[in-house]
Every structure is written in structure tokens, then in C-alpha cells.
């Protein structure tokens, strides 16, 4: 593989995205998702503040939404509630004390990344296979350089979308919340966006892997969506069968093949678990990408 040709293939994918305005669509999608989720979350949080503060017997402050929420998060009663929801004590210890809005942004980013990544990437190979454009591209670069260039180009596009969304969410939070530390909140949201981008690399591998099997972008996107749902359900099924002694506990390792399970490590703040989860997610993305590429490498480019 030539680094120069791989770079050319990556740039070609990005240039194609801007020519076709797909890049603008991606940025708008992430921008809209961040704005709507953050604004909606703060609105709901504001309506819940007075009731929660009354139940937990906390004094209420007058002003914008979010002032009482920080106090609620620090209260022992509320922390016990959150601990029961999180489940993992290590994750709870790492996120304890962080601003609720920051964690809401992380939650929404991790939730919408799989679907938006599939919508962005699932048709990229299949559309070129259908149109026949791939035949002209692989006269200049190898098949691997062409396919992997799409992976790299789309990963850059997804990073731009996520960080744009982070700035949008920060702007909403800064405008609507009173007493929030603007600079600290921005850095936190950018950090969560970086983690969400690592997660998107795994789902991008899934999307492009599926895309190599079809000559129809619609079919590739539909199947990739089905795969996303299956990947979300299978860990729960495997865990249930393990509890019922229907499978051995050793087969729980199969859950490591699903990005959603590995994603839990991204909620940590210490280096070792975050690095391990990130490396595994990148490896999963490359593995699923390679499955699709293996079919393309042996088939006819048309």
C-alpha cells in the first residue's frame, strides 16, 4: 500500500463529499442533533428541577435552568439514585461530580453516533459500485487504497461533524444555564466528542463493511440499520442466556464483538480503560471493514 496513493484516495473522498454537498449534510445533521438534544434536555431538566429539589428537600435558586441541577448532582440522595442507574461503580466514581449537562451531552453523543454514522457511510461504496465509478478509480489506486481511503475520508468528516456539534451544544448550554463555567464546559464537551468519534470509527467499519456487499445504497443502509439493532440486542441476549446457564460464561467474550459493550470503557476518565476501549473499538471497526473488503477484493469491480 502506498501512503501517497492512500492520501490521494482520502482527499478524493473528502472532495467528493464537498462537491456533492454531503459534507454540508453531515455537519447540519450533527449540528441539528446537538442543538435539539441539548436544548430539549435543558428544558426537561428545568421542569424537573423544582420537583426534584422539593422531594430531596433542597433549597431552590431563582434564575436559569441548571443552577439547582448542579446542587442536586452533589446531593447524597441524588447520587444514590444515579449510582443505581449507572450500575458500574468504577464508571460512577469517574463521572461523579461532573456537571449533569456535560453528562447529558455525552449520553446523547453516544446514542446518536451509531445511527448518524451509518446514514453517512453505508452507501458510500455501494453507490460507486452501482454507478461504475469504482472502475475508473482503481486504475489509479489499488482496491485496498480506494476502500480504505473512503474509511479515512469519512472518519475526518465525522470528526468535523462531532466537534461542530460540541460547539453548538456548548453555545446552547452557555446561553441557557446560569453560573456554568463556560471554558470548563467546552473542554469537557470536546473531550466527550473525541470519545464519541472513536466510537464512530467502529460503526463506520460496520457501515462500510456492509456497503461492500451491495450495489444499492438503499439496501446497504437498510441492512446496516438492521445490523445496528442486532448489535444492540445481542449482548443482552447473550447475558440472559448466561444467567439461565444456557451457555457457558466463557461465551460472554462474544459480547466484546459489539461496539455498544466496549463503549462503556469510554465513560471512564483514567487513561488505561479509555485507551483499551478506544483501541478495541478501532480494531472492531477495521475488522468489520475488512470483512466487506474481502468480498470486494475477490469480486468484479463494476
Amino acid at each position: 500500500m502506498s501512503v501517497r496513493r492512500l492520501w490521494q484516495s482520502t482527499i478524493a473522498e473528502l472532495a467528493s463529499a464537498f462537491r456533492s454537498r454531503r459534507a454540508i449534510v453531515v455537519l447540519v445533521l450533527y449540528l441539528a442533533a446537538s442543538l435539539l438534544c441539548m436544548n430539549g434536555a435543558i428544558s426537561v431538566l428545568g421542569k424537573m428541577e423544582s420537583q426534584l429539589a422539593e422531594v430531596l428537600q433542597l433549597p431552590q435558586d431563582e434564575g436559569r435552568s441548571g443552577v439547582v441541577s448542579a446542587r442536586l448532582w452533589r446531593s447524597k440522595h441524588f447520587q444514590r439514585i444515579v449510582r443505581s442507574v449507572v450500575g458500574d461503580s468504577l464508571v460512577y466514581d469517574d463521572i461523579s461530580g461532573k456537571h449533569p449537562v456535560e453528562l447529558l451531552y455525552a449520553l446523547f453523543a453516544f446514542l446518536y453516533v451509531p445511527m448518524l454514522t451509518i446514514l453517512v457511510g453505508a452507501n458510500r461504496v455501494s453507490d460507486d459500485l452501482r454507478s461504475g465509478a469504482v472502475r475508473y478509480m482503481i486504475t489509479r489506486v489499488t482496491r485496498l487504497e480506494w476502500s480504505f481511503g473512503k474509511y479515512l475520508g469519512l472518519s475526518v468528516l465525522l470528526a468535523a461533524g462531532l466537534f461542530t456539534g460540541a460547539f453548538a451544544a456548548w453555545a446552547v448550554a452557555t446561553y441557557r444555564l446560569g453560573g456554568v463555567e463556560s471554558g470548563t464546559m467546552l473542554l469537557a464537551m470536546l473531550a466527550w466528542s473525541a470519545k464519541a468519534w472513536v466510537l464512530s470509527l467502529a460503526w463506520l467499519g460496520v457501515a462500510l463493511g456492509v456497503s461492500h456487499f451491495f450495489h444499492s445504497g438503499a439496501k446497504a443502509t437498510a441492512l446496516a440499520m438492521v445490523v445496528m439493532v442486532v448489535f444492540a440486542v445481542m449482548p443482552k441476549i447473550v447475558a440472559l442466556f448466561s444467567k439461565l446457564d444456557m451457555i457457558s460464561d466463557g461465551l460472554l467474550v462474544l459480547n466484546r464483538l459489539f461496539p455498544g459493550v466496549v463503549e462503556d470503557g469510554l465513560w471512564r476518565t483514567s487513561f488505561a480503560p479509555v485507551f483499551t476501549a478506544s483501541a478495541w473499538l478501532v480494531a472492531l471497526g477495521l475488522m468489520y471493514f475488512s470483512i466487506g473488503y474481502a468480498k470486494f477484493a475477490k469480486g468484479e469491480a463494476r
Side-chain angles (χ1 to χ4, degrees), residues 149-173:
K150 285 189 173 296
Y151 181 90
L152 295 178
L154 289 171
S155 68
V156 174
L157 198 57
L158 290 171
L162 278 165
F163 287 116
T164 299
F167 279 104
W170 167 76
V172 172

Side-chain angles (χ1 to χ4, degrees), residues 12-217:
E13 176 63 25
L14 288 172
S16 174
F18 281 99
R19 283 198 305 270
S20 63
R21 295 191 176 93
R22 283 186 295 104
I24 297 177
V25 172
V26 172
L27 295 178
V28 170
L29 279 174
Y30 280 97
L31 184 67
S34 295
L35 286 174
L36 292 175
C37 290
M38 182 55 61
N39 188 63
I42 293 176
S43 296
V44 172
L45 195 61
K47 294 177 181 178
M48 294 174 59
E49 281 178 347
S50 58
Q51 298 180 8
L52 288 173
E54 182 179 350
V55 170
L56 298 178
Q57 298 181 349
L58 294 174
Q60 297 188 49
D61 293 333
E62 295 182 358
R64 295 178 178 178
S65 300
V67 178
V68 178
S69 299
R71 182 179 291 114
L72 288 174
W73 181 250
R74 291 192 295 266
S75 72
K76 294 181 179 179
H77 301 287
F78 193 67
Q79 288 179 7
R80 278 199 294 267
I81 296 173
V82 175
R83 183 185 290 274
S84 64
V85 173
V86 172
D88 191 331
S89 60
L90 294 176
V91 173
Y92 173 80
D93 290 341
D94 280 353
I95 66 175
S96 179
K98 295 185 180 298
H99 198 287
V101 172
E102 169 193 336
L103 297 178
L104 282 173
Y105 171 76
L107 176 63
F108 286 127
F110 288 160
L111 282 177
Y112 64 63
V113 153
M115 180 174 292
L116 291 184
T117 301
I118 286 174
L119 290 175
V120 169
N123 65 338
R124 289 306 304 128
V125 173
S126 53
D127 280 350
D128 283 355
L129 291 175
R130 177 181 56 81
S131 66
V134 60
R135 289 180 296 179
Y136 301 99
M137 294 299 297
I138 60 177
T139 60
R140 302 177 181 179
V141 297
T142 66
R143 295 191 180 203
L144 177 58
E145 290 162 350
W146 178 76
S147 292
F148 197 55
K150 285 189 173 296
Y151 181 90
L152 295 178
L154 289 171
S155 68
V156 174
L157 198 57
L158 290 171
L162 278 165
F163 287 116
T164 299
F167 279 104
W170 167 76
V172 172
T174 301
Y175 175 73
R176 295 202 56 187
L177 298 180
V180 65
E181 296 183 6
S182 180
T184 302
M185 182 69 72
L186 176 60
L187 291 176
M189 289 183 172
L190 290 175
W192 287 114
S193 293
K195 293 181 178 181
W197 177 70
V198 173
L199 176 62
S200 75
L201 296 180
W203 289 106
L204 182 59
V206 172
L208 289 179
V210 171
S211 191
H212 280 87
F213 283 89
F214 293 92
H215 288 72
S216 167

Side-chain angles (χ1 to χ4, degrees), residues 278-293:
S278 299
W280 191 256
L281 285 168
V282 172
L284 283 179
L286 294 177
M287 181 188 74
Y288 290 121
F289 167 83
S290 298
I291 293 173
Y293 171 75

